[in-house]
Amino acid sequence: MAYKIRVILDVEEDVIRDIIVNEAISLEDLHFTIAKSFGFNGQEMASFYRADDQWEQGIEIPLCDMSEDDDAISMENCNVTDILRKTGDKLIYVYDFFSMWTFFVELIDPKAKSTGELSKRVFSFGKTPKEAPEKEFTSEKLLDEDDYFNDDFDNIDDIDFDNY
């Protein structure tokens, strides 16, 4: 069995790839497939993030397990079928944390006809821009500015770091 996955690059002009992948591939293999489908070599750090129906970013699945005991989830030890189970399941994929190429990944057919290959691009629309768009990250202000700093703080030299 195979999965048909639509990948949309988050840029101004539409850039879309549909790929069919063997259902048994790891997210690491999907990472390489997506990167190469958009003209990248796949050698940069990347992460997948689970996403809900509104594309809100959830749990991170990094390329490498960086935990001390090597038992955390990573692309290497997670299969596509562990994450994408039904039509409409979504992931956000971030490639190259310096450039922040961002992709929207969605399972569009969990029962696609197998091509006999590990992965195959079956649809391509648009060209990948030469440079990633600027990303602006903002957050809601959760605390009042005065909550962050103690009024007694005048100079960093006044802090006794031996107490921390």
Side-chain angles (χ1 to χ4, degrees):
M1 182 123 50
Y3 277 10
K4 186 173 185 181
I5 297 172
R6 172 155 294 154
V7 185
I8 302 171
L9 178 58
D10 185 20
V11 292
E12 194 170 315
E13 300 290 323
D14 289 337
V15 183
I16 302 167
R17 305 289 185 266
D18 287 353
I19 54 178
I20 294 181
V21 298
N22 182 302
E23 69 177 356
I25 70 168
S26 68
L27 285 181
E28 183 177 31
D29 291 330
L30 183 60
H31 147 70
F32 286 118
T33 299
I34 292 171
K36 290 179 182 181
S37 292
F38 285 86
F40 302 114
N41 63 17
Q43 299 303 309
E44 303 297 334
M45 288 300 293
S47 284
F48 283 102
Y49 298 87
R50 288 183 178 237
D52 63 16
D53 288 338
Q54 287 74 44
W55 293 100
E56 294 293 323
Q57 181 175 313
I59 280 195
E60 179 181 16
I61 305 168
L63 181 59
C64 304
D65 178 359
M66 298 205 194
S67 67
E68 291 182 19
D69 53 3
D70 293 330
D71 70 346
I73 190 170
S74 70
M75 288 186 207
E76 179 181 45
N77 63 25
C78 187
N79 286 340
V80 170
T81 55
D82 296 333
I83 305 298
L84 301 174
R85 296 185 177 155
K86 65 185 184 323
T87 301
D89 282 352
K90 297 169 175 52
L91 293 168
I92 296 171
Y93 171 64
V94 177
Y95 176 78
D96 185 355
F97 292 117
F98 289 112
S99 298
M100 295 299 291
W101 291 100
T102 304
F103 302 81
F104 301 104
V105 179
E106 183 173 3
L107 178 60
I108 58 175
D109 185 359
K111 297 178 182 177
K113 183 178 177 187
S114 177
T115 63
E117 300 175 46
L118 198 59
S119 63
K120 182 177 183 174
R121 184 174 49 186
V122 294
F123 175 76
S124 179
F125 180 85
K127 291 187 178 188
T128 304
K130 293 189 185 316
E131 293 184 19
E134 290 280 327
K135 297 285 183 189
E136 181 179 324
F137 293 97
T138 59
S139 66
E140 295 178 20
K141 187 175 179 181
L142 300 176
L143 297 174
D144 203 7
E145 191 173 292
D146 293 333
D147 293 333
Y148 288 107
F149 298 105
N150 178 325
D151 288 336
D152 297 335
F153 180 79
D154 290 324
N155 189 326
I156 196 157
D157 295 329
D158 295 337
I159 298 174
D160 181 8
F161 289 103
D162 292 332
N163 289 332
Y164 292 96

